[in-house]
Amino acid sequence: MCFILIPTVQFGLIYRLWAGGKKPVNTSTCTCSCWDTMFKGPYEMGIAGYKHVYFNVTGTTWAIWALTVCTMLVTYETLRHLLGLYYKGRIRFTMFVLFIVDIYPHYYMFWATFGYLNDTFYTFLYHQIIFGITELTSTALIVLLCDSDRPISSTYLLVIADIGILHVLASGVDQFVVHILFGRGALHHQMRDVGLMLPDVLHVMIATFQLMAHARSKGKSVKRCVSNSELLCSLIAVLCLLILIHTA
């Protein structure tokens, strides 16, 4: 149901208000010369008339289709897993909160990647791919830790916090400071940046809180739960990924 309702609200309501003033398409006179008509076979060739959906048979179209199918399958399986944990009374609340706040960043990531591929606009695509891989890694660990029967892993929590720090630093240097702190962004830019920054801040805070609680439950300090080598590796990983993001 969410696959139907969310895009309906996004494109049918929010985008109509945001992009107001655009003229409706004249379906009786418009044409499209950019469509290869491969989908229609021998039934239609050359310049085509109006269609609700056009798609060319290209490698990029295949990539968009694969992205869409994989996103829907992973979303379905993840929700099925979490609902199973809920009905069994095995949801770990703190991790479930992180999963909920991750919904918007993943939704944004899908449509941003879709748009970059569809527009053949690769300037920010590689930047988005790095963000996407790290976001997916963090969420995968969060979903695993949503099971209260699974022991807390200090390594998992450290990775979640590291990715949150990476995104905060990358976004802060990138757009957040200019759009929010300096007030130079339009309203939709500011709403987007807050929606992307807040989950990352919560990742750092909640993962740190959970790590401290885990250490207390074992009668140890946080330093004894996380080795020096893990801390060093996490620092190097964050710095390397930060450099990679800003050079991609």
Side-chain angles (χ1 to χ4, degrees):
M1 185 63 70
C2 63
F3 293 126
I4 298 173
L5 292 179
I6 295 177
T8 300
V9 173
Q10 178 187 0
F11 297 111
L13 177 61
I14 297 174
Y15 272 40
R16 284 187 182 275
L17 295 174
W18 171 41
K22 291 190 176 182
K23 296 180 180 180
V25 175
N26 188 330
T27 59
S28 61
T29 61
C30 76
T31 59
C32 179
S33 61
C34 301
W35 184 32
D36 62 18
T37 69
M38 292 292 292
F39 171 70
K40 298 294 287 186
Y43 298 104
E44 189 168 2
M45 299 181 183
I47 298 177
Y50 175 79
K51 300 288 186 296
H52 290 286
V53 176
Y54 300 88
F55 66 89
N56 292 318
V57 180
T58 65
T60 301
T61 303
W62 178 88
I64 293 172
W65 176 250
L67 170 70
T68 304
V69 172
C70 289
T71 298
M72 295 183 70
L73 286 174
V74 170
T75 301
Y76 170 78
E77 290 297 334
T78 301
L79 292 177
R80 189 170 71 91
H81 171 70
L82 292 176
L83 282 173
L85 293 179
Y86 172 77
Y87 286 123
K88 294 174 183 176
R90 289 166 46 189
I91 282 287
R92 182 175 279 121
F93 178 73
T94 51
M95 293 296 105
F96 185 68
V97 168
L98 288 185
F99 174 79
I100 293 298
V101 300
D102 268 347
I103 292 175
Y104 173 72
H106 283 294
Y107 187 74
Y108 176 85
M109 176 181 66
F110 169 78
W111 282 113
T113 306
F114 186 106
Y116 293 147
L117 288 171
N118 194 43
D119 296 340
T120 319
F121 183 66
Y122 298 140
T123 303
F124 297 128
L125 176 62
Y126 305 110
H127 181 278
Q128 184 65 43
I129 288 173
I130 298 171
F131 263 98
I133 291 173
T134 53
E135 190 76 48
L136 287 169
T137 301
S138 176
T139 302
L141 297 179
I142 288 168
V143 170
L144 289 175
L145 291 176
C146 277
D147 187 350
S148 59
D149 282 359
R150 179 184 290 271
I152 286 290
S153 167
S154 57
T155 302
Y156 285 6
L157 292 174
L158 184 61
V159 172
I160 293 169
D162 284 344
I163 292 173
I165 292 170
L166 169 68
H167 289 178
V168 168
L169 292 174
S171 299
V173 174
D174 190 8
Q175 296 177 330
F176 187 84
V177 172
V178 175
H179 290 164
I180 304 298
L181 300 184
F182 293 163
R184 296 177 184 172
L187 178 60
H188 66 276
H189 288 142
Q190 295 175 347
M191 293 176 64
R192 176 201 63 189
D193 291 343
V194 170
L196 295 175
M197 178 66 79
L198 183 59
D200 290 324
V201 173
L202 288 174
H203 276 59
V204 178
M205 293 176 60
I206 292 179
T208 303
F209 166 79
Q210 191 72 66
L211 182 59
M212 293 171 63
H214 174 63
R216 284 197 302 270
S217 69
K218 290 185 170 295
K220 300 179 180 179
S221 65
V222 174
K223 290 182 178 180
R224 293 188 64 186
C225 286
V226 180
S227 67
N228 290 335
S229 61
E230 286 179 319
L231 287 173
L232 180 60
C233 288
S234 68
L235 177 61
I236 293 173
V238 169
L239 290 176
C240 289
L241 287 171
L242 189 61
I243 293 171
L244 186 61
I245 287 173
H246 287 287
T247 55

